[in-house]
Amino acid sequence: MNWIIIVLIIIVLLALGVWGYQVRNARLIHDLDAEVATIDTGAVPGLIRSIQQLSLTGDSLDDFKSWSQKYQGLVDGELTELQTALLDVEQANKQFKFGQVKDGMANIDALQTSAAKDMKQIESHLGMIKEAEADNAKQLKVLRNDYQEARKTVLAKSFAYGDALPALEASLQDIASQLTTATEVNVGGDPRRAKAAIKQVKNSVAALKLQVKQLPPLVNSVVNEFPSQLQEIQSGYQQLTEQHFLFTDDVPAGVAEVQNLVAKAEAQIKDLDVTELTANNATIADKIDSLYAVMEKELNAKSSVMDQKDELRQFISHAMQQNRTLNIELDHLNQSYQLNHDEIKTANELKVQLDTIDQAYAKAIDQINQNQAIYSDLLAQFTHDRTDLTEIEKQQQAINASVSGLRETERKALAQVEAFERAVRDVRYEVSRHDLPGLPKAYRDFFKVVSDEILQLKDDMDQVKIDLDAIAKTLIRVSTDIDQLKQQSRDLISAAGLCEQLMQYANRYKTSHEEVAQAMTDSAKLYAKYDYQGAADAIATALEKVEPGSYKKVADDFNAQQHDELV
């Protein structure tokens, strides 16, 4: 009995599931139907009816027919197919053919997307066809206004356009004809062809506006400014040549070149070639400025040259006198001193350079006197020579400063040698005063080296021609060696004296400590061999073992009694 109830429950549940699935499909089918209904809202038929009233012709009519046919094809084809497919799916759902329902809905979705896209494209193109005539009319109105403004300007200021006026008037007539044609085509029902005509009119009007705006100043430059400036240049050139001016550039050739460019500009005016005319005018203006600059350069240069020539003559003479004085002084000094820094060679090279400047200056004055001077070239020469003269004087002053102290340097060197001799005598006296039994060989050898260096210095100073650079280096070396000799002498005297004090102090341990007695014997042997430091170290080591700190005590007492004479 229970299994019958369970089976019934299962059957009821399955029936409910099938019914629910069927209801869900019905809702989806209804939604698809609503979407399909939105594809064709009636906007396109409305556009077709309104366009039919425009009485289109030509390309525009062909275009309209093409899109109308595409619309009709969409209605008869995909939209009809969609309606049939919706009915089939709805019927299949009622019959519980859910597989057919699923496939059918997928097909409907794809068809609906494609149809909506095609409908949107058709509506867009038909909309453009409808709006084309109105848009063209607006553009034609703007172009007509621009044309009228340009025409008024040309008529009111015809004098400002010179030889460009005939071409401008012809252009105005041509544009008027273009406007009439474009208007007729647009009104005649072919806005598509009218659009192409309007584009041509737009380009023509844009060119006209540019010409009307830019031609007056360009024409004025060609007709008035340039000829006037060329005449002024020719007149100025004639006056300057009568005053014997010479120029770095060929002014008449430059004038002829500009005149050819002006003739070219006149042809460009007649052809309304604003772009080329603008560039050509800029070139003409630059060349005219250059011609003015060529003449102005010589005028200004002459003024500067005449102002500078006397001062430059004095500058050259002063530098040459300095050079003569310097060479005489160097010749005298060269007899007594080695000049190691090319002073004489440099002074002679500066003389050659001064002679060259002097000769160039004399030539420049001759050119001025003979009316053969290009003053801008002379100004550049004078400026360069002034810079060179300034540098030459600096070099001559530097040479003079470097040799002016040679005699004082010699005197100081002699005084230093004498000081070295006194220092060596003081060392010998101080060492001998301590009455040492002898001196170590190394010390004696070094003492001789220092003494020989001083003798060599004296010999070098006694030469007819002294090399003060070499002597200066030797002075530095000998000064260092004397300091070292003094230090070795101090160390020697100090070691000998300290050894004697340590020997005296060690006597108190001589009998009681055998190692002290032995150290005293060893120290005495070293002392006899003049190894005073070794002797002091031997006895100090033994004393430290017997009495720690004894060496420092004796050394401190000894140092306190010393008076260093070797400073």
Side-chain angles (χ1 to χ4, degrees):
M1 187 67 179
N2 290 336
W3 66 268
I4 295 174
I5 295 173
I6 293 171
V7 170
L8 289 173
I9 291 172
I10 291 172
I11 292 171
V12 170
L13 290 174
L14 287 173
L16 289 172
V18 170
W19 177 79
Y21 192 67
Q22 186 183 46
V23 171
R24 171 184 171 278
N25 286 344
R27 185 174 65 253
L28 293 174
I29 292 168
H30 179 270
D31 292 341
L32 272 176
D33 191 19
E35 289 181 15
V36 169
T38 62
I39 294 175
D40 189 0
T41 60
V44 171
L47 280 171
I48 291 173
R49 287 192 296 273
S50 63
I51 293 171
Q52 286 173 338
Q53 297 174 4
L54 297 176
S55 301
L56 296 179
T57 62
D59 293 340
S60 298
L61 178 59
D62 293 340
D63 199 25
F64 168 67
K65 289 179 178 179
S66 173
W67 287 104
S68 297
Q69 290 170 0
K70 288 181 181 179
Y71 170 72
Q72 194 58 48
L74 180 62
V75 171
D76 295 340
E78 291 174 277
L79 291 182
T80 301
E81 186 179 348
L82 277 170
Q83 292 298 329
T84 302
L86 281 168
L87 291 173
D88 291 343
V89 169
E90 185 177 359
Q91 185 63 32
N93 188 52
K94 291 178 179 180
Q95 297 174 359
F96 304 106
K97 296 177 181 180
F98 297 135
Q100 292 182 16
V101 171
K102 181 179 179 182
D103 294 339
M105 289 177 65
N107 182 50
I108 291 169
D109 187 61
L111 283 172
Q112 183 267 339
T113 302
S114 175
K117 180 180 178 182
D118 292 344
M119 185 64 76
K120 185 175 181 180
Q121 186 180 29
I122 292 167
E123 183 177 357
S124 174
H125 279 79
L126 288 172
M128 287 190 290
I129 292 172
K130 179 182 178 182
E131 295 172 2
E133 190 274 339
D135 183 61
N136 287 347
K138 289 180 182 178
Q139 291 191 55
L140 284 167
K141 182 179 180 181
V142 172
L143 290 172
R144 192 173 290 105
N145 289 337
D146 290 344
Y147 163 78
Q148 290 296 340
E149 287 295 323
R151 182 172 180 275
K152 288 178 183 178
T153 302
V154 172
L155 292 175
K157 300 179 180 180
S158 58
F159 60 88
Y161 296 96
D163 291 342
L165 187 60
L168 280 174
E169 290 175 341
S171 180
L172 286 169
Q173 291 177 1
D174 182 58
I175 293 172
S177 176
Q178 291 178 27
L179 282 167
T180 300
T181 299
T183 302
E184 290 174 351
V185 171
N186 191 53
V187 173
D190 195 353
R192 181 176 177 181
R193 190 159 65 89
K195 186 174 183 180
I198 290 170
K199 183 177 181 181
Q200 181 182 353
V201 176
K202 186 181 295 184
N203 293 336
S204 299
V205 170
L208 177 65
K209 288 173 66 178
L210 182 68
Q211 293 160 357
V212 168
K213 179 181 179 182
Q214 295 188 358
L215 275 172
L218 293 172
V219 170
N220 183 59
S221 294
V222 175
V223 173
N224 297 311
E225 292 180 3
F226 296 155
S228 174
Q229 290 170 341
L230 287 173
Q231 184 177 359
E232 186 178 35
I233 289 170
Q234 289 173 312
S235 174
Y237 175 77
Q238 183 177 354
Q239 293 176 19
L240 291 175
T241 52
E242 290 173 356
Q243 297 173 31
H244 308 292
F245 275 91
L246 299 177
F247 303 94
T248 55
D249 297 79
D250 189 341
V251 175
V255 170
E257 182 184 1
V258 173
Q259 287 173 335
N260 290 334
L261 291 174
V262 170
K264 181 179 178 181
E266 291 171 350
Q268 291 166 338
I269 290 172
K270 293 178 180 179
D271 294 338
L272 301 181
D273 193 348
V274 174
T275 302
E276 291 298 324
L277 177 61
T278 301
N280 192 22
N281 275 22
T283 301
I284 293 171
D286 288 342
K287 289 186 178 295
I288 287 176
D289 288 343
S290 297
L291 291 172
Y292 275 119
V294 167
M295 295 190 294
E296 186 177 2
K297 178 177 66 173
E298 296 307 322
L299 278 169
N300 294 336
K302 180 178 181 180
S303 176
S304 296
V305 166
M306 301 309 288
D307 288 343
Q308 294 181 27
K309 65 184 183 66
D310 292 340
E311 181 187 353
L312 183 59
R313 173 69 273 169
Q314 295 174 5
F315 199 170
I316 294 171
S317 299
H318 181 262
M320 294 181 77
Q321 180 58 44
Q322 274 189 333
N323 187 266
R324 285 192 289 272
T325 303
L326 177 62
N327 274 296
I328 292 171
E329 177 66 11
L330 290 175
D331 184 60
H332 291 164
L333 291 172
N334 191 46
Q335 297 174 22
S336 301
Y337 303 101
Q338 290 284 355
L339 301 178
N340 298 319
H341 303 287
D342 293 330
E343 291 89 348
I344 294 176
K345 178 184 176 184
T346 302
N348 288 331
E349 289 173 349
L350 293 177
K351 182 180 183 304
V352 172
Q353 192 174 352
L354 285 168
D355 289 342
T356 301
I357 292 173
D358 185 52
Q359 292 167 8
Y361 177 83
K363 183 178 179 182
I365 297 303
D366 286 343
Q367 290 174 343
I368 292 172
N369 293 334
Q370 295 174 17
N371 296 323
Q372 295 177 352
I374 299 177
Y375 287 101
S376 60
D377 290 346
L378 293 188
L379 179 59
Q381 175 188 321
F382 283 10
T383 302
H384 185 269
D385 289 347
R386 185 181 298 277
T387 301
D388 287 349
L389 287 167
T390 301
E391 184 59 31
I392 288 170
E393 286 209 334
K394 287 181 181 178
Q395 291 185 59
Q396 292 184 156
Q397 291 167 3
I399 294 172
N400 185 63
S402 69
V403 300
S404 63
L406 289 176
R407 291 191 174 89
E408 178 62 18
T409 302
E410 180 187 8
R411 187 191 65 76
K412 291 180 179 179
L414 286 170
Q416 188 65 57
V417 172
E418 292 174 359
F420 288 164
E421 288 182 313
R422 288 194 300 272
V424 171
R425 285 197 299 270
D426 291 344
V427 168
R428 182 184 291 111
Y429 169 76
E430 186 63 24
V431 172
S432 63
R433 189 173 67 83
H434 287 81
D435 202 20
L436 299 175
L439 299 172
K441 184 177 184 306
Y443 176 82
R444 285 185 281 112
D445 290 343
F446 187 63
F447 190 94
K448 185 176 185 308
V449 168
V450 175
S451 298
D452 290 345
E453 287 177 337
I454 295 173
L455 289 174
Q456 183 61 50
L457 260 177
K458 291 181 67 177
D459 185 63
D460 292 342
M461 295 294 295
D462 286 339
Q463 298 299 314
V464 174
K465 201 168 185 178
I466 302 172
D467 188 346
L468 286 177
D469 287 346
I471 288 171
K473 295 176 182 177
T474 305
L475 287 171
I476 295 171
R477 184 176 70 252
V478 174
S479 177
T480 302
D481 289 348
I482 287 176
D483 289 341
Q484 186 177 347
L485 180 63
K486 287 180 178 180
Q487 187 59 47
Q488 288 185 14
S489 301
R490 293 189 197 98
D491 294 342
L492 193 68
I493 294 168
S494 178
L498 181 58
C499 182
E500 292 172 1
Q501 292 290 329
L502 288 169
M503 292 285 280
Q504 292 176 11
Y505 192 84
N507 280 329
R508 68 184 67 185
Y509 296 110
K510 181 178 181 181
T511 56
S512 58
H513 292 79
E514 184 178 350
E515 64 270 30
V516 174
Q518 182 62 46
M520 291 178 70
T521 301
D522 295 340
S523 179
K525 291 178 181 179
L526 292 170
Y527 192 90
K529 294 179 181 179
Y530 317 137
D531 185 2
Y532 304 118
Q533 187 61 52
D537 291 342
I539 189 64
T541 301
L543 280 174
E544 280 296 308
K545 292 179 180 179
V546 175
E547 182 186 341
S550 57
Y551 171 75
K552 186 177 186 305
K553 177 181 177 182
V554 174
D556 289 346
D557 290 342
F558 174 76
N559 290 331
Q561 298 170 12
Q562 299 307 302
H563 300 285
D564 190 2
E565 299 298 333
L566 299 175
V567 294

